[in-house]
Amino acid sequence: MALIQHSDFADDSWIRLDDASEAPIGAKIIVSLERWQRDRESLLGRNAPVGVLLKSNQPPALIAADIDRLSLIALEFPKFTDGRAYSYARLLRERHGFKGELRAVGNILRDQLFFMRRVGFDAFEVPDRARAQEWLKSFGDFDVVYQETGDGRRRPVRVREPEIGG
Amino acid sequence: MYVYDEYDRTLVAERVAQFRGQVARRLSGELSEDEFRPLRLMNGLYMQLHAYMLRVAIPYGTLSSVQMRQLAMIARKYDKGYGHFTTRQNIQYNWPKLDAVPDILADLAKVEMHAHQTSGNCIRNVTADQYAGAAADEIEDARITSEVIRQWSTFHPEFSFLPRKFKIAVTGSPHDRAAIKVHDIGLRTIRNDHGEVGYEVVVGGGLGRTPIVGLTIREFLPKRHLLSYLEAILRVYNQEGRRDNLFKARIKILVQSMGGTAFTEKVEAEWRAIRKDAVDFSSEDFARIAAQFAPPRYVTSTAHSAEFEAARLADKDFEAWCRTNLAPHKQPGYAIVNISLKPIGGVPGDATAEDMELFAKIAELWSFSAIRVTHSQNLVLPYVRLSDVHAVWQALRGAGLAAPNIDLITDIISCPGLDYCNLANARSIPVAQRISERFASLDRQYDIGELKIKISGCINACGHHHVGHIGLLGVDKKGEEFYQITLGGSADENASLGTLVGPAFSYDRVVDAVETLVETYVTKRQPGEIFLDTYRRLGVAPFKEALYGSHPA
């Protein structure tokens, strides 16, 4: 497992905490939605950053009220073909105004990184560093985009005069 | 027609490069076939029974002569000298080699073509009325809307991993030639009481194993909000469509299970929340695209052509072809010419490289270089001057391509079936060929009149059998090919799904069964009725009795 943050590999400063374990003092922790809902007050009282991991059947509306208290939201791809989190990411960024780290975890293909960044993800847990440069290259697959989505890229403003024809 | 600008060109070139890399990773073994599969599918590359099949997009069925020539070149260089036009207005090549596919894509890119989103669980290549821009009855050229949708849906980052494939169709006329009610989203261009152009939005139609006629969820959507509304529909579907069962993953199942009202409310709520200015095209954006579809430089506006009328009188064969293969044009003095790809005994939708080159040449000489592909697997020359129609016909007839049978019983839609497809249960093409041969007599075809036969080799319904006036569905019975017959389907503005008439017929008996149905209609029809009218008036009973006697097996 390796972590890409923004456009480069990085060390992961967060730890994934299961639902039973005690949170280490001062550590940046990622918890499940269930644990967040159960221990919300005590987790917020730790005075250390906390993140929540949403499974693909847990839409962001479930944490909408707490967006400003979370430093990280991780969205899980149980299979690379399960594309729900692409919508969740856009909703978190564009509707709920989430500014923290939006992390893609689970079954991710290198060929999906471009799309993921476009909808607002800025961190990616990827399987290996062996082909690090190739993974990073995927961000540059396309220079042109036709949609304005969570990454702030603009549609091309087109000015070319059209030709008349059938 | 739409001409790429530097952005479109860059995007296509980048996609070729990306796919070339993916193929190289597959050939080197870095990617397993399982990992490669979704990547190749998003570029229209299927593994078929005998070889790979490459499905090339023909967005909204519009082609230029230059593009048609390139399709011919590709058929010759990389395939066995032919291609197959499909019910989705695409062309398929059945024999490409994997390592050649990136080169094919590069050759396509040279003429502004590609295979983007012709497969996979994404928004597929958008389809439209084949007469768009030329039809006498249209409110607006459906290609404008279709091109806007093409741009928006191309590599849409949010909607590239949907629960299932997603098909959008657009018609610009009250008469629906794009089968919009049997698509995931169908858009019917309309004008409201204030004279504004917009769309009736139909959602959740489809064929396959659960055929459903779509539901109108909005009577009038202002044109400027097209994309934000599509985005709202897709976002609801992407989050809530089923992902646990491939066969229940289409949006039609979601609409049915939620109920039309609840689904509509959800879409409307999402739409209200969307920041529309970031999604919708401005009126300038629309105008820029509309300008690309400006009419050609017509040279006449005189409705009557003495030459044309004289040729019709002088030549009985030409007259026969004109009766079936021409459609009314919005420009006086012009006609829409249909080219049938259904010669008697032929393979529906197939064209050889030589045929394609001839079509390109004819279009160049007499149709402003414009060609359209229809969802009935035929071609259209959209802008032919009446005085040139005879020359067009002569050129086609010289090559055996002037079948005068549009919408007649031998104008059969057929999927590739068991001859090519690894999903099929039964052959489709040979059944189409045998029916075509049985009804080869032109006099008999004219007497029967409009009759749409559609054949699918399996439940996935690529041959649209549910909406055939007569639909045939290939099924497997203990290793033998059988065909179920449905009656009364239709894909136009009065869309309906066919009714199963009774037990299936064997491969040997199915053509006789079709003939029995046709004879029943001929006997029972009232003046002016086509097969579908008679069926709708009488119901299934007389047809059933003719097939099975009064005590069906």
Side-chain angles (χ1 to χ4, degrees), chain A residues 96-110:
Chain A
H96 301 299
F98 179 64
K99 299 283 193 301
E101 177 173 321
L102 190 55
R103 183 182 287 204
V105 306
N107 182 205
I108 294 169
L109 303 185
R110 155 185 158 186

Side-chain angles (χ1 to χ4, degrees), chain A residues 87 90 141 143 146-147 165-166, chain B residues 1 8 14 152 158 231 294:
Chain A
S87 286
R90 283 196 71 188
D141 277 351
D143 290 323
Y146 282 138
Q147 311 83 8
Chain B
M1 61 185 275
D8 301 307
E14 287 173 338
W152 163 79
E158 184 179 347
E231 196 140 309

Side-chain angles (χ1 to χ4, degrees), chain B residues 337-540:
Chain B
V337 171
N338 283 276
I339 301 173
S340 169
L341 296 180
K342 321 284 177 67
I344 296 302
V347 176
D350 268 14
T352 65
E354 292 72 29
D355 295 343
M356 293 184 221
E357 281 163 351
L358 180 69
F359 301 141
K361 185 176 150 202
I362 291 173
E364 220 159 54
L365 287 171
W366 297 302
S367 183
F368 295 93
S369 299
I371 302 163
R372 306 285 175 75
V373 183
T374 82
H375 86 269
S376 312
Q377 303 180 282
N378 293 313
L379 300 179
V380 164
L381 301 168
Y383 313 111
V384 181
R385 196 178 169 181
L386 283 178
S387 55
D388 292 333
V389 171
H390 193 231
V392 167
W393 173 75
Q394 285 175 311
L396 289 170
R397 196 175 64 151
L401 295 165
N405 62 352
I406 296 296
D407 287 342
L408 299 181
I409 190 169
T410 59
D411 184 5
I412 298 168
I413 290 183
S414 163
C415 74
L418 198 53
D419 294 292
Y420 292 97
C421 179
N422 53 6
L423 300 173
N425 292 319
R427 286 169 292 173
S428 305
I429 292 169
V431 174
Q433 290 171 313
R434 286 165 55 220
I435 293 172
S436 170
E437 282 158 2
R438 177 73 61 92
F439 292 95
S441 154
L442 263 183
D443 288 340
R444 190 173 181 199
Q445 290 189 54
Y446 292 140
D447 177 59
I448 295 164
E450 181 180 331
L451 207 176
K452 297 185 177 179
I453 297 183
K454 305 187 192 231
I455 308 174
S456 303
C458 79
I459 192 72
N460 291 303
C462 296
H464 300 179
H465 63 278
H466 300 294
V467 289
H469 300 173
I470 297 176
L472 302 181
L473 165 64
V475 293
D476 177 280
K477 277 194 181 179
K478 296 176 186 151
E480 257 192 275
E481 294 161 284
F482 272 74
Y483 297 84
Q484 292 182 352
I485 299 182
T486 50
L487 297 178
S490 168
D492 64 11
E493 62 278 13
N494 303 310
S496 56
L497 300 170
T499 304
L500 184 64
V501 70
F505 291 88
S506 68
Y507 180 81
D508 291 330
R509 291 194 51 218
V510 66
V511 179
D512 293 336
V514 169
E515 190 164 28
T516 301
L517 292 167
V518 172
E519 287 311 314
T520 305
Y521 148 70
V522 169
T523 311
K524 309 249 179 213
R525 68 182 163 189
Q526 290 180 352
E529 277 186 345
I530 65 167
F531 180 92
L532 185 63
D533 299 329
T534 304
Y535 173 81
R536 283 179 172 167
R537 178 169 56 82
L538 294 176
V540 75

Side-chain angles (χ1 to χ4, degrees), chain A residues 80-84 87-88 90 95 110-112 141-144 146-147 155 158 160 165-166, chain B residues 1 3 5 8 11 14 18 22 25 143 151-152 154 158 161 231 238-239 243 270 279-280 294:
Chain A
F80 72 87
T81 50
D82 184 339
R84 280 176 276 193
S87 286
Y88 298 164
R90 283 196 71 188
R95 189 150 312 157
R110 155 185 158 186
D111 305 273
Q112 295 178 310
D141 277 351
F142 297 96
D143 290 323
V144 174
Y146 282 138
Q147 311 83 8
R155 282 202 290 251
R158 313 207 198 189
R160 194 177 57 83
Chain B
M1 61 185 275
V3 179
D5 62 19
D8 301 307
L11 190 83
E14 287 173 338
Q18 185 193 39
Q22 291 167 346
R25 280 152 66 203
R143 293 174 303 166
Q151 295 190 13
W152 163 79
T154 295
E158 184 179 347
F161 295 90
E231 196 140 309
N238 190 40
Q239 295 182 83
R243 291 177 184 269
E270 176 58 37
V279 188
D280 284 328

